[in-house]
Amino acid sequence: MSTAAPTPRPAWSVPEKPGLEGLEERWGRVWEDDGTYRFDRRAERDDVYSIDTPPPTVSGSLHVGHVFSYTHTDTIARYQRMRGKAVFYPMGWDDNGLPTERRVQNYYDVLCDPSLPYDPSFAVPEPVSERSKDERKAPKVQISRRNFVELCNHLTAEDEVAFEELWRHLGLSVDWSMTYATIDERSQRVAQRAFLRNLQRDEAYQAEAPVLWDVDFRCAVAQAELEDREQPGAYHRIAFHGPGGDVFIETTRPELLAACVALVAHPTDERYQPLFGTTVRSPLFDVEVEVKAHELADPEKGSGIAMICTFGDLTDVIWWRELQLPTRSIVAENGRIASDTPDWITAGGEAAVAAFAQLAGTSVKQAQAKTVELLAESGELEGGPKPITHPVKFFEKGDRPLEIITSRQWYLRNGGRDLDLRAALLQRGHELHWHPPHMRVRYENWVNGLNGDWLVSRQRFFGVPFPIWYPVGPDGLADHAHPILAAEVDLPVDPSAEVPPGHDESQRGQPGGFVGDPDVMDTWATSSLTPQIATGWGEDDDLFARTFPMDLRPQAHEIIRTWLFSTAVRSHLEHDSLPWRNTSISGWVLDPDRKKMSKSKGNVETPMDRLEQYGADAVRYWAANGRPGTDTAFDEGQMKVGRRLAIKLLNASRFALGLGGGDGAARTTDLSLVTEPLDRAMLARLAELVDDATTAFDAYDYARALERTESFFWAYCDQYLELVKGRAYGARGDEAAWSAQAALQLSLSTMLRLFAPFLPFVTEEVWSWWQDGSVHTAPWPDASGLRDAAADGDPLVFEVAAAALGEARKAKTEAKRTLKWPVDAIVVIDREPRVRALRAGLDDVRESANAASVTAEVGEVATITVTLAEAPDGPDV
RNA sequence: GGACGCGUAGCUCAGCUGGUUAGAGCACCGCCUUCACACGGCGGGGGUCGGAGGUUCGAGUCCUCUCGCGUCCACCA
């Protein structure tokens, strides 16, 4: 036992009345000024923890779901930093793509017309919301592509400022010197370079093929952007005419009758077997089509025989391809029936031409009504339409059902039609560590369900252009088979504004000249490269070597099929590796009715209001309670609890650090002073907690780490602090007090660090009262050091002492006395180990319960008997 | 149609490889006022763990079936 007085330390600044107000601003500024979260570029790869942060879409406002999932990542980042890693934690902004285009169109009331020339004098218009009523009536202003892109850049820059402010307020430990935007020059260069390399390795190709087409956006859509919506429709039973009589098909899309190329039934279907190989004639148009057999025809569906049109749905495409049928397309890019009469209709004679003339130029919806009318008149529609609801494919951002049209597009191989590549990508999914593990199934479902390669070209304006031109032949037509590629050193290029090597602008569009590829890349074609963009692939080789492959991709589960998968594809093709070792999948934030919170549902919470109301630590506390992959209810109650926790941390710290009468003499970190069994017991329990929290964090289970830490902390405040208070003030002499004070400081330092990933502001505040530097760069607590300090401490001492104190409190509460009411006697009967443990803490129980005597005896039946004093004139009053 | 997840107190959730009497917070009820904390403290009531079988000395936990909710995927004529 040490008898030396503790070494005095410089005076600490423990505030008289600590509070949470203003902590975000104050510490946010200090962290920025001190570069607390700066990435250390000297660190070798093994000492780096790199995070592929999801770039939020900059086309509106951040919502509470963002706050939720970004907090999860931040707790991991902070943990890894305290474990000694150089954390590479950049932030990106996803300003590329359709959401931005739409926002700009609406915000400024403009439309892009790519045929217009650039107008350098075009000024940023006043937002629609600022305009007068009359001004709003003016027609949309048509502007050139380059002017449009400039407007996109202008608006997103404004949004990005607001986003960064919110993230800083939330306390994300991002290195703000390393932000990127998915439309900035570096991202464009990376996207174009990656594409050119894909092209050179034959991983990218162009093809004239049927694509899913949004008739409003007039743009191709990829499989990953589809969603099914239940729509009303109707079966129409329609007669085709064969030599042996009429054949009835049932269809939901009678308006495509003119596009029919064959009928199809299952090979084993005895009803139709005699027809296979024969031809029948279509109603209205009298076009001869063959009857085919194919496995995909379902005898149970409709009449068991279907008409194949080019194209009504994806099954039509399969039949068309596998049965080698002709193409008869009648739906134009604008979603209307072609206005020119196709030649196969002309061949059907006057009646056919007349019928088609009634449909030409109408929308598919109008065409359907007209076709039904015509069929009814001709007697070829049996019975009326039978209403049904059925799933129909939509672009996830679109308003009308997708059509399928044939057009020339760029594709990237993704295993959709290559079994070896598919197997390799499934293997990548297996190598990746998923948190939680069951999310891998979604990846596998998706990869196994791919039905084609990745369509990466989009007929839009605000995006990364393809760095490609085409020669124009003497006939004035572009020669797509011989693309002219940009040189890597020239990237990024805009082929609609720049000219290919060896050409000049006067040759654009001229016979013998060139044209630029008019399309831009799918937004995912850039987003799938965020690891390469963030780590400086091809831009900063040194950084790249220190940070790639990355350690963590955090993201939401609904975009596993898009973002996670496409990123895995790009990395596999370019680097033959995974882009990251781990992925943590966050759940959704649900409103109290268990519905996903989203803007379109109008149930979003504005995060800044909540941050200001409860404080960032409190909001983070709520978020960190949402376990990985688990949908979590939006719960202000939890934010209140978080706020209370933060306040408790302030007050408990004030107590622990305010002992010793302000002279500083008793303040110490000399652990040899910890001699009291209760103090050692508490430290032994704390060591177990550190092990638990560390294990949980290593498994990406931040929620568990928080829960364990919090639960210990409340027991610490309610029980340990009460048990030790009198002794810490000196009731049992200096050495007993020093033991308490040293244990309090060690435990407080440990708990501040355990809480630091969750409550960065309040922990930093308390840390600053008595420690140098930032708690966020302090080392993560070490259980073995605590065990050394605890010596042979038995956690049971803490438990049984707390139980005895609890019984005394209960007796006082039930007798309606204050907690300071004196106790004559506490008699504890229990089994031997617990009795022994209690005897070690007997003096602390007596002190804290204000008891005249506490005795512990071994017995079979455990009881605690508390005898209160008659009047408040017992000991120590 | 296939797959995954979830059903534990009024609410939000812990309960990990099966082990005394199923836990926490919120809410509710009662009590205590200020020497860390009234933005507080102490205590209390409240659950046949969705249902039915099974394995086991023992099941909230493992197996089978089943019901409900959510989500992802699917070639939806």
Side-chain angles (χ1 to χ4, degrees), chain A residues 199-211:
Chain A
L199 193 54
Q200 282 148 13
R201 290 191 300 260
D202 194 34
E203 293 153 0
Y205 62 91
Q206 52 183 334
E208 178 93 14
V211 295

Side-chain angles (χ1 to χ4, degrees), chain A residues 477-545:
Chain A
L477 296 178
D479 176 9
H480 293 118
H482 300 94
I484 307 165
L485 310 188
E488 280 197 15
V489 291
D490 294 333
L491 302 180
V493 303
D494 179 354
S496 67
E498 294 163 54
V499 301
H503 293 71
D504 63 63
E505 190 58 38
S506 68
Q507 294 172 282
R508 188 181 293 276
Q510 300 302 314
F514 69 92
V515 290
D517 190 303
D519 292 350
V520 297
M521 296 182 197
D522 173 13
T523 179
W524 295 109
T526 307
S527 300
S528 59
L529 295 164
T530 53
Q532 288 83 353
I533 294 167
T535 61
W537 170 67
E539 310 278 313
D540 182 340
D541 293 343
D542 179 72
L543 181 66
F544 184 69

Side-chain angles (χ1 to χ4, degrees), chain A residues 1-4 668-675 680 738-739 742 788-789:
Chain A
M1 183 179 287
S2 169
T3 53
T668 181
T669 51
D670 179 356
L671 301 180
S672 68
L673 294 173
V674 181
T675 52
R680 292 180 165 187
W738 296 336
S739 173
D788 289 346

